[in-house]
Amino acid sequence: MNRNEQRLFSLYFFSGFGVILASVSLFAVLLWQFDFVTIEGSGLIWGLLLLVLLLSGAHFAGLKLFFSRMLEPLNRLNDALQAFETGRELELRGSTFTRNLITSINRLNTAYRELRQSTDARIAEANEKLEREKRTLATLISELHSGVILCSGEGRITLYNPVIEEMAADAQVKARLGLGKNIRGLFDAGLIDYLFEESRTLLGSGSKALSAAVSYAPSGDLVRLSLIPVSTTEESEAWLLIMRNIAPEMRQAAGRDTLLKQLSEQVRASVASIRAAGENLSEYPDMPAAMRQNFVGVIEDEAGRLGSQVTQVLGEYEQTYRSYWPKDPVLLSEFLQNFRQRAASLTGLEVTLPDAHSANIIRVDTYALLLTLLSLQTRISEALGEKSVKLHVTERENLCEIRMLTAGMLRERNEQLLQRWLAEKPSLAGSAHPVEAGEILDRHDAEVWIKTNRELSDAPQTELCIVLPSEKPAASEIHPAGTKAESTAANPAGPAASRPVYYDFEIFLQSKTSPELADAKLSELSFTVFDLETTGLNPSIGDEIISFGGIRILNSRLLTHDTFDALCKPSRPVSPESTAIHGITNEMLTGKPPVTEVLPAFHAWCENSVLVGHNIAFDLRFLKMLEKRSGLSFTQPALDTLLLSSVLFPDAEAHGLEVLCAKFGITVKGRHSALGDAIATAEVFAYLIPLLAERGITTLAQARELSKDSHFNMLKY
């Protein structure tokens, strides 16, 4: 028995012994009183003592049997339940019954541990697979040239790619773009509702047709919107909205229509003249020779003019058709790296690239152009019997010249070989392109030639030269290898993906029908954490906002890519005391827009979220003072990390932002800047959410009610 059992056994035994002794004593008194026995003196005493001993022995044996047969197995079963938590095995001891029970429990415990380990391994494997799939999806969507938005059945944005950001050019429209926000803020709400209704109708009827409509993107471009169902279960819905810019196609079609109309008008006039001349020649066969010659001249002139017009229009049409060949922006250095890798794997060619890496881009159909160049170079290398190829790149204004040098000299004339090769469809390693090599190069506005080069080497070399249009890359279009458009925290596709995709799939795990905001869980709400910098501390005497900073929180996660940071010029100078705190000078605000121009974008950015700030009453007071001038009011519920901290840590001496950051180990960057303080406040709030949950505060209403208990509620601005 363990120590507790021994104490309990002793308590039961001595309690029982006392009861036995008292009972025997009472029994003896009754016998003596009523003269039921004739035994006197010591004989009676010894008889009573013997009875006490017998009863005590029976009591002891009964307790021992009870503890060994009943309580000990129960205690061992309790130990077994604890062993399940710690993973340890029980020691085999006790009675046969107890040992059998322990053996069965240990066997069950072992099976449980193995099952838990197997389950944990499967969960970890499933989580890793899910993360890989999410990264793959993010990377794939980031490379699409169409705008992509993944949203829930309610229209809440779960994923979007950079193309959407480019199309949301207007500041106020871009402010409505973000995870957890509604796509109805980006497009006409009626159009989005129509697409959802039509898609659900088509889905219900079993039709494979897509719901699509033509509209204008926020940037003003004409786009085609397509809504595709991804998942439509009872628990959640996921929809993919694809936005494709069709303005180039429309311009292309309009250009072709113009050319055809122009050609038809010109042909009609020439044909009319030719017909009139022909009719005169037919009706008057005996006309004078000079007159006949005039009509024949008219026919010849109009036929020549008609031929020239057709040739011209066909040339313009071909140029229009050629320019429409889909081409993507690619870094020239990446294209050459791709060329070297494919040359080695498909043909065995050893390509040496130039040391300097070009920062320019070329617009190409990568597969078609790579196949064409590899096909041409392979033919040259095979003809020369040489596998080594050295590349030289020369960049001029809007042009790049790629020269491929192979040792040796071709036996046939270079021009004849090139013309024959260009007339063929490029093929390599079992792959063939359906378009001739010459046409592919024409579609890329490329010039190509082959010549013998004796300048770079003592021995003759054959040079394949290609000249392509090139340009400087736009920042939003492509990022050089090794750089990041966003920090890793803002780039879920990982460090290897230079173009970020922003997503949060947890939105699909929430209920389709959102509860009332007051009863919504804090962990599922969308928060806007913000801070303001001002000219002074007193809005009632005219101090104004000079800086907005904010960051959003969704599903308890900071969206580091979704921030708001703007300066605005006040109508009064910044006080030296305020500049000493936030570092913003009057010179820094020169040329900045007034607060009435910045406020609408900030208001749109904060829509449909809970406002959070540290000592937020100060910031809300400044926003309140702008309501009449701007016509915008911030009616969202608000939470204050100062109030929450003062209630959660009532014994703390201070609850300043720096104190809380130090308490939670948060590194503050840009302290006393609006964005820096907003990010620090957001990180503090993210720590407070689980601390509130430990106290049973899980909803917005509970958090707001708890804030009322803070003595800081007495602060007024």
Side-chain angles (χ1 to χ4, degrees):
M1 289 187 292
N2 58 36
R3 185 171 299 177
N4 290 331
E5 292 174 350
Q6 291 174 357
R7 289 198 191 100
L8 188 62
F9 182 85
S10 299
L11 176 63
Y12 285 173
F13 174 75
F14 286 111
S15 298
F17 180 77
V19 171
I20 293 172
L21 187 60
S23 300
V24 171
S25 300
L26 179 62
F27 179 67
V29 170
L30 291 174
L31 291 177
W32 185 269
Q33 183 70 28
F34 295 100
D35 296 327
F36 288 150
V37 294
T38 58
I39 302 176
E40 297 182 357
S42 60
L44 177 61
I45 294 174
W46 284 109
L48 292 174
L49 287 177
L50 180 61
L51 180 61
V52 169
L53 289 175
L54 290 174
L55 292 174
S56 297
H59 175 58
F60 179 85
L63 282 177
K64 186 70 175 176
L65 181 64
F66 176 76
F67 269 82
S68 62
R69 295 296 183 182
M70 298 297 294
L71 289 186
E72 184 178 1
L74 292 177
N75 286 328
R76 301 299 285 165
L77 181 59
N78 180 59
D79 292 341
L81 294 177
Q82 296 178 358
F84 267 79
E85 299 178 359
T86 60
R88 62 183 175 85
E89 289 193 354
L90 296 178
E91 181 183 353
L92 283 174
R93 58 185 175 84
S95 64
T96 303
F97 174 79
T98 304
R99 293 168 66 89
N100 291 337
L101 178 62
I102 292 173
T103 301
S104 299
I105 290 174
N106 284 338
R107 189 181 300 115
L108 180 62
N109 195 0
T110 301
Y112 169 74
R113 288 202 308 271
E114 292 176 353
L115 178 61
R116 187 171 64 178
Q117 292 172 357
S118 175
T119 303
D120 291 343
R122 290 183 180 181
I123 291 174
E125 182 181 354
N127 287 336
E128 182 181 356
K129 181 180 179 181
L130 178 61
E131 287 300 320
R132 285 199 307 268
E133 291 176 350
K134 287 165 64 175
R135 289 194 297 268
T136 301
L137 174 63
T139 302
L140 289 174
I141 291 182
S142 72
E143 298 300 326
L144 294 178
H145 297 285
S146 298
V148 174
I149 296 178
L150 191 65
C151 64
S152 66
E154 298 168 335
R156 295 181 66 197
I157 298 174
T158 302
L159 174 151
Y160 61 93
N161 66 350
V163 178
I164 294 294
E165 286 188 309
E166 296 173 10
M167 292 184 173
D170 182 77
Q172 293 191 38
V173 175
K174 187 171 291 187
R176 296 189 181 96
L177 175 65
L179 298 181
K181 297 186 178 182
N182 202 296
I183 58 175
R184 291 170 179 82
L186 299 175
F187 305 96
D188 177 67
L191 173 62
I192 297 300
D193 291 338
Y194 163 77
L195 290 175
F196 270 113
E197 291 172 5
E198 185 182 36
S199 295
R200 291 188 175 105
T201 301
L202 293 172
L203 195 63
S205 63
S207 173
K208 296 183 179 180
L210 298 179
S211 176
V214 175
S215 181
Y216 284 97
S219 60
D221 292 328
L222 193 65
V223 295
R224 185 176 188 269
L225 298 175
S226 302
L227 190 63
I228 304 172
V230 178
S231 172
T232 54
T233 63
E234 293 184 359
E235 293 77 16
S236 65
E237 287 187 342
W239 298 83
L240 197 64
L241 183 70
I242 299 178
M243 183 169 60
R244 185 168 62 86
N245 189 351
I246 61 173
E249 297 178 24
M250 299 297 291
R251 288 193 294 269
Q252 199 75 24
R256 290 196 296 268
D257 291 344
T258 301
L259 287 174
L260 291 175
K261 182 178 180 181
Q262 176 185 347
L263 178 62
S264 63
E265 292 176 350
Q266 293 171 348
V267 167
R268 185 183 296 113
S270 297
V271 168
S273 299
I274 293 174
R275 177 181 295 173
E279 289 176 351
N280 285 323
L281 290 174
S282 176
E283 292 179 4
Y284 303 104
D286 298 331
M287 69 175 57
M291 185 178 295
R292 177 181 294 275
Q293 186 61 37
N294 287 337
F295 282 119
V296 171
V298 169
I299 293 174
E300 292 176 349
D301 291 343
E302 290 297 333
R305 186 179 297 109
L306 180 59
S308 299
Q309 291 169 347
V310 171
T311 301
Q312 179 183 352
V313 171
L314 289 178
E316 293 178 7
Y317 183 86
E318 182 182 357
Q319 185 64 31
T320 303
Y321 178 61
R322 180 186 303 172
S323 65
Y324 184 62
W325 184 290
K327 295 187 283 286
D328 300 321
V330 180
L331 277 172
L332 177 59
S333 57
E334 292 183 355
F335 179 82
L336 297 180
Q337 288 282 357
N338 197 349
F339 177 83
R340 181 180 67 175
Q341 293 172 2
R342 290 182 176 273
S345 61
L346 298 178
T347 67
L349 296 179
E350 300 175 0
V351 178
T352 302
L353 299 181
D355 296 332
H357 292 281
S358 171
N360 280 5
I361 67 171
I362 53 177
R363 296 186 179 273
V364 295
D365 177 344
T366 306
Y367 172 73
L369 190 60
L370 277 176
L371 192 62
T372 300
L373 298 186
L374 284 172
S375 179
L376 293 176
Q377 181 57 48
T378 300
R379 291 175 181 273
I380 293 175
S381 296
E382 289 176 350
L384 298 175
E386 178 60 48
K387 290 287 187 179
S388 297
V389 181
K390 190 170 184 179
L391 263 64
H392 290 269
V393 177
T394 304
E395 293 185 273
R396 303 184 180 89
E397 185 178 1
N398 299 327
L399 290 175
C400 68
E401 183 180 86
I402 305 171
R403 300 157 64 197
M404 306 181 191
L405 297 171
T406 310
M409 187 170 61
L410 295 172
R411 295 182 179 180
E412 294 187 49
R413 293 185 59 183
N414 297 334
E415 294 81 2
Q416 293 178 347
L417 283 175
L418 181 60
Q419 290 301 320
R420 189 165 69 244
W421 292 340
L422 291 179
E424 299 173 353
K425 296 176 180 178
S427 60
L428 197 66
S431 298
H433 201 279
V435 180
E436 295 178 358
E439 185 177 351
I440 291 174
L441 293 173
D442 286 343
R443 297 286 177 85
H444 287 81
D445 294 324
E447 297 290 337
V448 60
W449 63 84
I450 299 175
K451 70 176 184 178
T452 302
N453 191 317
R454 300 177 183 271
E455 300 173 358
L456 301 178
S457 174
D458 295 336
Q461 293 180 308
T462 297
E463 177 182 298
L464 173 63
C465 185
I466 300 97
V467 179
L468 291 166
S470 67
E471 59 190 81
K472 297 292 182 183
S476 62
E477 188 170 42
I478 195 166
H479 300 282
T483 64
K484 299 179 183 179
E486 291 284 340
S487 65
T488 303
N491 189 356
S498 60
R499 306 171 197 173
V501 174
Y502 311 122
Y503 62 88
D504 188 346
F505 294 102
E506 297 299 324
I507 291 176
F508 289 137
L509 303 181
Q510 299 173 11
S511 173
K512 287 178 63 177
T513 56
S514 298
E516 293 296 329
L517 195 60
D519 296 327
K521 292 184 178 180
L522 293 173
S523 59
E524 296 179 357
L525 284 172
S526 173
F527 298 97
T528 297
V529 188
F530 76 101
D531 184 70
L532 306 176
E533 300 299 342
T534 60
T535 59
L537 302 178
N538 198 333
S540 60
I541 64 172
D543 281 320
E544 300 179 31
I545 301 171
I546 57 174
S547 178
F548 291 83
I551 185 171
R552 295 183 61 238
I553 294 179
L554 184 65
N555 292 327
S556 302
R557 181 166 64 90
L558 273 68
L559 305 182
T560 54
H561 63 275
D562 196 352
T563 59
F564 193 97
D565 189 16
L567 295 174
C568 46
K569 182 176 176 59
S571 59
R572 63 183 299 174
V574 183
S575 66
E577 294 80 9
S578 297
T579 299
I581 296 175
H582 49 58
I584 300 175
T585 64
N586 292 299
E587 290 74 18
M588 294 170 62
L589 302 176
T590 302
K592 300 299 181 183
V595 67
T596 51
E597 294 185 12
V598 177
L599 190 63
F602 181 71
H603 183 270
W605 186 71
C606 294
E607 280 182 340
N608 301 318
S609 65
V610 178
L611 300 179
V612 178
H614 193 79
N615 194 11
I616 197 173
F618 174 81
D619 304 285
L620 291 178
R621 178 60 177 163
F622 274 89
L623 296 177
K624 185 72 175 178
M625 298 293 290
L626 289 170
E627 284 188 4
K628 291 184 179 180
R629 290 172 54 193
S630 64
L632 300 173
S633 58
F634 292 78
T635 58
Q636 304 99 311
L639 290 175
D640 193 333
T641 53
L642 173 66
L643 302 184
L644 295 174
S645 171
S646 66
V647 178
L648 287 173
F649 313 114
D651 298 329
E653 296 181 359
H655 300 277
L657 185 57
E658 290 180 344
V659 174
L660 292 177
C661 288
K663 182 181 185 68
F664 296 125
I666 298 170
T667 302
V668 183
K669 297 180 180 179
R671 179 70 172 107
H672 294 304
S673 69
L675 181 57
D677 284 357
I679 294 175
T681 303
E683 293 187 6
V684 167
F685 184 65
Y687 274 98
L688 293 180
I689 291 177
L691 294 178
L692 290 169
E694 291 178 3
R695 293 190 52 170
I697 308 300
T698 59
T699 67
L700 177 61
Q702 292 171 337
R704 287 169 60 82
E705 190 66 26
L706 182 70
S707 301
K708 295 179 182 179
D709 297 334
S710 172
H711 62 277
F712 285 107
N713 262 321
M714 295 182 295
L715 290 176
K716 303 295 180 183
Y717 296 96

